[in-house]
Amino acid sequence: MHEEAGLIRLGGGVLAAIVGIAAVAWATGTGSGPRAEGEPVAPAMAQAAPGAGPAAAEAPAGPGEVRACTVEGGPVPLPDAVHEASGLALSRRSEGVLWTHSDAGRPEVLAVAADGTVRGTVRIAGAGAEDWEDVAVGPCAGGSCLYVADIGDNDASRARVTVYRVPEPDPADGASRPAEALHATYPEGPQDAEALFVDAAGRIHVVTKGETGPVDLYRFPERPQAGSVSRLERVAVLSGAEVPRPERVTGADASPDGRWVALRTLESVAFHPYEALAAGRPDGAVRFDLSAAGEAQGEGIAVGEGGVVYLASEGGKKKDPATLTRVACPLPG
């Protein structure tokens, strides 16, 4: 019996060692996958999410789970011209470019690289800038368009909001072609919103913030007319009432394959299956903690291929610079 017990203990020790070696090998793997064509290359500043454990970001998260995105690059400071970076979008025309903007001031967007380097400044011709809160790149009749969301309304008092649609410029253009002004109103009255995304068919969606009312998803008509005022359609209710500050939606983006819609807050991001969300069923979301990014005030989000996500922060208390961070948030296949 003593010999058998000794053998059992020895076998258990060998098994534990094997498991330990396998765990170390798993934890140290990068697994970020190849870079998609046209996706910005982040600087080599990779760090694991503090306290989350490497395995939390390696395996794809599933509905109902909350995982931590892994910081892969940054944060890097953005130029003073976008001291309060409110929106972020990946270019479909220019490789290695992200579009961003301030929430007020001149009606212009900046093209930046993943290391924060400015590639160009483009004035949006014919646009105003009351409260720009997000930007998206999506399809349009001309191919690829920028959609700039002048939808901010802290007091929920604006008679209408506006999305400016313009063919995506080259970073060196200086000025865009004349923008189409797509005005809209909410069926329930004015709402404060900071998030916009455009689906694979070019349909424009707005998500309210949750500060002056519930978090709701609205969409424009299929073919909004430039210069006229559309009535938005409420598609889904994402909260029953106003939500606490950490849960307010500050940015959105659709994944390049159209399968997911990312809705970010100051501290987290929820990836919703697009088909369910567009049908008014906000279930099955995959959620990630963004605290490892260390953002002062997280605002913008741009989704790339393979779970690569770029985050823009406004900066802290309007004195620290805005920042750009690359993270990895593995999604189910």
Side-chain angles (χ1 to χ4, degrees), residues 46 83 170-171 295 312:
H83 183 72
D170 183 274
E295 296 177 288

Side-chain angles (χ1 to χ4, degrees), residues 71-98:
V71 177
E72 293 192 334
V76 295
L78 289 171
D80 288 342
V82 284
H83 183 72
E84 296 180 30
S86 290
L88 195 65
L90 276 164
S91 173
R92 295 189 181 185
R93 178 180 175 186
S94 302
E95 183 176 1
V97 165
L98 295 119

Side-chain angles (χ1 to χ4, degrees), residues 199-214:
D199 67 19
R203 195 85 179 263
I204 306 168
H205 298 71
V206 174
V207 184
T208 55
K209 186 177 179 181
E211 183 174 7
T212 58

Side-chain angles (χ1 to χ4, degrees), residues 34-42 90 95-97 304-306 308 310 326:
R35 179 176 64 90
E37 182 178 355
E39 179 185 312
V41 179
L90 276 164
E95 183 176 1
V97 165
E305 301 282 357
V308 172
Y310 296 87
R326 169 177 163 149

Side-chain angles (χ1 to χ4, degrees), residues 104-298:
R106 292 174 292 188
E108 61 188 25
V109 292
L110 263 71
V112 298
D115 63 359
T117 303
V118 177
R119 298 285 183 85
T121 301
V122 179
R123 179 177 58 85
I124 304 300
E130 184 169 347
D131 193 352
W132 286 15
E133 289 292 353
D134 209 350
V135 62
V137 174
C140 61
S144 175
C145 277
L146 277 182
Y147 295 78
V148 183
D150 193 343
I151 57 176
D153 189 6
N154 291 335
D155 299 323
S157 60
R158 291 179 66 171
R160 67 185 188 187
V161 295
T162 303
V163 174
Y164 294 103
R165 181 173 62 192
V166 62
E168 186 181 357
D170 183 274
D173 283 349
S176 74
R177 292 170 58 183
E180 297 177 286
L182 308 176
H183 306 299
T185 60
Y186 297 92
E188 294 81 20
Q191 310 284 332
D192 187 24
E194 295 190 359
L196 171 139
F197 69 90
V198 178
D199 67 19
R203 195 85 179 263
I204 306 168
H205 298 71
V206 174
V207 184
T208 55
K209 186 177 179 181
E211 183 174 7
T212 58
V215 178
D216 290 330
L217 170 65
Y218 293 87
R219 66 183 165 210
F220 275 72
E222 287 188 24
R223 296 177 179 82
Q225 299 299 309
S228 65
V229 181
S230 299
R231 186 177 178 84
L232 299 178
E233 172 193 2
R234 186 163 69 173
V235 179
V237 177
L238 305 180
S239 75
E242 298 174 21
V243 296
R245 185 174 184 270
E247 299 174 20
R248 294 170 187 165
V249 178
T250 60
D253 195 23
S255 63
D257 61 9
R259 293 180 56 205
W260 301 93
V261 172
L263 303 181
R264 75 155 300 170
T265 68
L266 295 176
E267 300 176 354
S268 65
V269 57
F271 287 86
H272 291 263
Y274 170 75
E275 294 295 339
L277 191 63
R281 304 190 311 273
D283 51 3
V286 180
R287 301 180 184 277
F288 292 90
D289 177 17
L290 296 177
S291 58
E295 296 177 288
Q297 183 168 321

